[in-house]
Amino acid sequence: MPSKLIQEEMSTANTVSKTKVTTHVLQEMKLKGEKIAMLTAYDFSFAKILDDSGIDIILVGDSASNVMAGFDSTLPITLNDMIYHASSVVRAAKRPLVVVDLPFGTYQGNSKEALSSAIRIMKESGANAVKMEGGSEIIESVKRIISAGIPVMGHLGLTPQSIHKFGTYVVRATNEEEADQLRRDADLLEEAGCFGIILEKIPADLAGEVTEEVKIPVIGIGAGGQVDGQVLVLHDMLGITQDFSPRFLRRYHNLKEEIMGSVQAYITDVKSKDFPNEREQY
Ligand code: KIV
């Protein structure tokens, strides 16, 4: 049996670089053409698995409202909820950059309110950055948050916090007018000092164009392969959630089926008095 020190060294050698991912590291990755891998997480245990797997960015998304709390949109989740999820993730995430969504209603009012929401997230969760949905309409808030030293990631295209304005989750920016607005918004976010932009559910060629145009990393979800990196909702790509199957979602696992298999085996063992056996008791 190797000593504890050797075991630690062996486990470090088996994993990817332990250098903390910062916004500067992401910028260098873009320059080198190295793709950025981002996934959501909302709790300590999954964040630990993502960290151990070598993920570059963990997004504490307001998709927690759907995935964790069971709401049918991202609107109901609160700032306190997001801080709870984010601080659980931060306790596990040593290497990845941790980005946290500012939830609906905490930044759209005015830039002062936006700054105090962002400060609460950074102070109370220990996260590294915040993400905000929108372009020109929130640019004053974006600037004010960045001027306080808080890194901001933008989010354009399909912006789920505006679902009641659009009424559907269909592909965005498919006509020239919307595409032009998106290009302008991406430029504005870059000029304001955002360190990156998420593009959700827009045509691949438009996403490629924006990625070439701006110097900051662009991460896509349903935005094709010409971007600098990809993000998916963890529970969707693992097959824990099954009622959401957009074209862009690649399922890497059918975890719901596997978990159900284990739970059903446990139920059978309990009911048949097979569990616990002699070796499983004191
Ligand atoms: O909340 C979230 O999970 C997101 C991703 C879908 C980008 O914003």
Side-chain angles (χ1 to χ4, degrees):
M1 178 87 169
S3 74
K4 195 157 181 283
L5 191 65
I6 291 172
Q7 278 180 49
E8 269 169 22
E9 277 172 10
M10 280 164 59
S11 85
T12 308
N14 286 339
T15 55
V16 281
S17 150
K18 284 282 170 197
T19 313
K20 173 77 184 170
V21 178
T22 61
T23 56
H24 299 279
V25 169
L26 297 174
Q27 188 63 56
E28 280 166 22
M29 288 171 82
K30 171 159 181 145
L31 285 174
K32 284 192 273 182
E34 184 183 339
K35 296 281 185 186
I36 298 164
M38 176 172 182
L39 282 171
T40 65
Y42 319 100
D43 67 4
F44 178 88
S45 302
F46 270 122
K48 175 98 178 68
I49 295 172
L50 296 193
D51 188 4
D52 290 346
S53 309
I55 202 77
D56 298 313
I57 309 177
I58 295 183
L59 171 64
V60 185
D62 58 359
S63 49
S65 183
N66 309 98
V67 173
M68 294 281 108
F71 291 113
D72 62 3
S73 80
T74 58
L75 275 66
I77 199 156
T78 66
L79 193 55
N80 283 344
D81 294 336
M82 290 304 294
I83 289 167
Y84 166 78
H85 288 298
S87 49
S88 308
V89 166
V90 166
R91 283 192 282 275
K94 303 296 174 228
R95 179 182 172 273
L97 187 86
V98 178
V99 181
V100 183
D101 263 327
L102 279 184
F104 176 70
T106 66
Y107 63 99
Q108 290 91 348
N110 58 62
S111 64
K112 201 169 161 207
E113 179 194 36
L115 177 59
S116 74
S117 304
I119 287 177
R120 276 203 64 200
I121 290 203
M122 301 298 284
K123 237 178 156 57
E124 295 177 41
S125 76
N128 308 123
V130 297
K131 174 165 86 60
M132 299 160 74
E133 294 184 8
S136 54
E137 70 282 16
I138 57 154
I139 209 70
E140 288 318 311
S141 299
V142 169
K143 285 183 187 161
R144 192 158 184 170
I145 293 172
I146 293 172
S147 70
I150 300 173
V152 174
M153 178 170 239
H155 183 156
L156 300 171
L158 196 160
T159 46
Q161 292 180 9
S162 313
I163 183 58
H164 296 301
K165 176 172 160 199
F166 295 104
T168 81
Y169 288 100
V170 294
V171 184
R172 298 293 200 267
T174 50
N175 63 54
E176 245 342 276
E177 198 187 326
E178 262 192 67
D180 273 346
Q181 183 63 52
L182 188 136
R183 289 185 194 99
R184 279 196 299 275
D185 283 340
D187 286 342
L188 275 179
L189 291 171
E190 179 177 36
E191 279 161 30
C194 284
F195 72 88
I197 303 176
I198 298 249
L199 294 180
E200 180 164 356
K201 219 170 173 185
I202 63 165
D205 284 345
L206 174 60
E209 239 182 81
V210 173
T211 305
E212 282 218 351
E213 164 76 17
V214 299
K215 306 246 169 337
I216 52 178
V218 174
I219 312 286
I221 172 163
Q226 304 165 45
V227 288
D228 301 309
Q230 300 292 328
V231 58
L232 285 175
V233 169
L234 184 67
H235 290 60
D236 296 337
M237 62 85 83
L238 290 179
I240 297 174
T241 46
Q242 302 254 336
D243 45 1
F244 178 67
S245 294
R247 184 200 297 195
F248 67 76
L249 174 59
R250 186 178 293 182
R251 274 197 215 290
Y252 286 83
H253 211 63
N254 190 345
L255 208 50
K256 179 179 175 187
E257 202 174 282
E258 297 229 357
I259 293 172
M260 281 182 68
S262 304
V263 172
Q264 285 162 352
Y266 168 74
I267 294 170
T268 303
D269 289 352
V270 169
K271 300 222 179 258
S272 66
K273 302 180 186 152
D274 177 71
F275 176 77
N277 64 26
E278 296 255 306
R279 293 182 315 280
E280 291 163 332
Q281 62 191 13
Y282 300 98

